[in-house]
Amino acid sequence: MATIKDVAKLAGVALSTASYAMSGDSKVSAKTREKVLEAARQLNYQKNGFAMDLKRSRTNTIALILRDLSGPYYSELIRSIQDVALSNSYDLIACSSMGGKGSTAVRYMMEKRVDGAIVLAHNITDEILHAAAGPRFPVVVMDRLIAGEGLINVVVDGEQGGYSATRHLIENGHSSIAYISGPADSYDNALRYQGYLRAMHEAGLSEKAKWKLSGNFIREGGYKATKMMLMQGELPTAVFFANDEMAVGGMKAFEEAKISVPEDISVIGFDDIQLAEYIHPPLTTIRQPMYESGSLAGHLLFQMLNGDAVNDFYKLKIELMERKSVKIQG
């Protein structure tokens, strides 16, 4: 059975353009609409009847779209949004965006199988979000800045978080500080890195290319990036891991190499996952309000569903959590 993606490919247009054309949206020119309709006829494409029915009435369901459903950050986020959904007598569907444009998550938005969505996934493109969101289908985006009708942004002050983490290390006497980053396309990572650079430059310090490695925001990535750093020989006195998951992996690599944290090297993370205070030594980190940000996103979505006016941008503050993984450098 042909899909809207097949129609878009045959017509030589973007997925969003094909969707607009099939729904008769005035944004699409008559010429383009006819090209899309002709492709649909050739493929014998028919709109999803179930989805059409749902457009006429509420489903009492919202979607939370994540790049990956695993990990301690996501579990806290899911719990917070689920609490808000239940308090509004709604169901929550959490789904992965793996597969990009062809994913179930994108179909849920484009075909309006839910009443609204909260999105924390870098591979859901701005084009898809603009095509899906609107007055009747609100979307709260948590991982980037994007303007448009029906779109609300909830972000954490990652730049200040990156600055505070690096500044804490500098204030404790560290001048050689490595940065283990998340994915290159991550808005969150970009902000944390900007904060790191601001603190370094403000202190008259410069980063070293060999001490900037990628861990992809996962524990195994932090472990491998730290192993790579160890193989290069010269070590910094401190490492800023752009999230706690990578810091946990990095501390395991240090332990295997008989390098003690914080006696031999200091470590700071970002997120303040539940595990952070239970590992040895307890991890100094930047706390971002995970539960609170998810709860805010959920409340904003329901306000929009109820027709209430909301702002289009919200920024939450961070907090330094001092524990035992950073040593004063003499």
Side-chain angles (χ1 to χ4, degrees):
M1 181 181 294
T3 67
I4 187 66
K5 184 177 179 181
D6 298 323
V7 173
K9 184 176 181 180
L10 181 60
V13 299
L15 177 64
S16 57
T17 303
S19 180
Y20 281 137
M22 293 301 296
S23 62
D25 197 296
S26 59
K27 295 178 183 178
V28 180
S29 69
K31 182 178 179 181
T32 300
R33 184 179 300 110
E34 181 54 38
K35 184 164 59 172
V36 171
L37 292 176
E38 177 58 29
R41 284 191 288 269
Q42 291 181 32
L43 294 170
N44 196 28
Y45 169 77
Q46 293 183 333
K47 282 189 177 182
N48 187 304
F50 174 64
M52 292 297 290
D53 288 341
L54 292 184
K55 287 182 182 179
R56 302 187 186 104
S57 62
R58 290 283 180 95
T59 67
N60 286 340
T61 305
I62 60 171
L64 171 60
I65 298 172
L66 305 170
R67 178 68 179 266
D68 186 352
L69 298 180
S70 64
Y73 176 85
Y74 289 136
S75 63
E76 187 79 352
L77 189 70
I78 292 170
R79 184 171 68 87
S80 65
I81 296 171
Q82 179 177 268
D83 287 348
V84 176
L86 290 174
S87 71
N88 285 274
S89 301
Y90 259 65
D91 291 323
L92 172 68
I93 295 175
C95 48
S96 167
S97 64
M98 293 296 183
K101 290 183 178 181
S103 67
T104 300
V106 170
R107 291 202 303 274
Y108 267 66
M109 289 197 297
M110 299 301 291
E111 296 176 1
K112 308 299 185 284
R113 299 190 183 191
V114 291
D115 295 338
I118 297 170
V119 179
L120 179 57
H122 307 302
N123 61 335
I124 299 295
T125 65
D126 288 1
E127 177 190 42
I128 291 172
L129 292 172
H130 281 128
R136 291 180 152 186
F137 191 81
V139 176
V140 179
V141 184
M142 298 187 66
D143 58 348
R144 73 188 95 172
L145 294 179
I146 176 173
E149 193 172 29
L151 288 164
I152 303 298
N153 300 270
V154 174
V155 300
V156 171
D157 196 347
E159 199 274 344
Q160 182 60 39
Y163 175 84
S164 295
T166 310
R167 188 69 200 167
H168 180 68
L169 295 173
I170 293 169
E171 288 174 348
N172 278 277
H174 297 276
S175 57
S176 56
I177 303 170
Y179 180 80
I180 308 298
S181 78
D185 63 348
S186 166
Y187 174 74
D188 291 335
N189 180 72
L191 289 179
R192 294 168 197 183
Y193 182 55
Q194 287 173 19
Y196 162 81
L197 289 178
R198 177 161 70 94
M200 293 286 281
H201 294 163
E202 188 180 272
L205 304 174
S206 58
E207 65 170 340
K208 288 190 177 181
K210 68 177 181 178
W211 289 341
K212 183 178 183 294
L213 300 163
S214 176
N216 208 34
F217 276 164
I218 59 175
R219 194 173 305 183
E220 183 67 16
Y223 175 83
K224 289 181 177 178
T226 304
K227 285 283 192 183
M228 179 65 68
M229 187 167 57
L230 288 166
M231 283 190 283
Q232 296 182 65
E234 182 188 6
L235 287 178
T237 63
V239 183
F240 172 24
F241 289 89
N243 80 346
D244 290 350
E245 282 279 282
M246 294 191 298
V248 172
M251 288 169 73
K252 176 177 170 58
F254 285 134
E255 182 182 12
E256 290 177 355
K258 309 298 184 188
I259 294 172
S260 177
V261 176
E263 284 75 15
D264 300 324
I265 194 164
S266 291
V267 169
I268 194 167
F270 199 113
D271 281 341
D272 195 27
I273 60 176
Q274 290 184 354
L275 181 62
E277 62 180 314
Y278 295 106
I279 59 175
H280 180 74
L283 180 65
T284 294
T285 187
I286 300 297
R287 180 186 184 273
Q288 64 164 315
M290 293 178 283
Y291 185 92
E292 292 86 345
S293 61
S295 183
L296 174 61
H299 282 296
L300 290 170
L301 188 66
F302 281 106
Q303 287 178 50
M304 294 176 72
L305 287 170
N306 291 329
D308 298 335
V310 298
N311 295 329
D312 58 6
F313 176 76
Y314 297 82
K315 181 185 286 186
L316 285 75
K317 295 181 179 179
I318 53 84
E319 179 184 1
L320 173 67
M321 306 299 292
E322 292 189 57
R323 296 194 177 105
K324 304 291 185 181
S325 62
V326 174
K327 175 187 174 183
I328 297 176
Q329 184 74 6

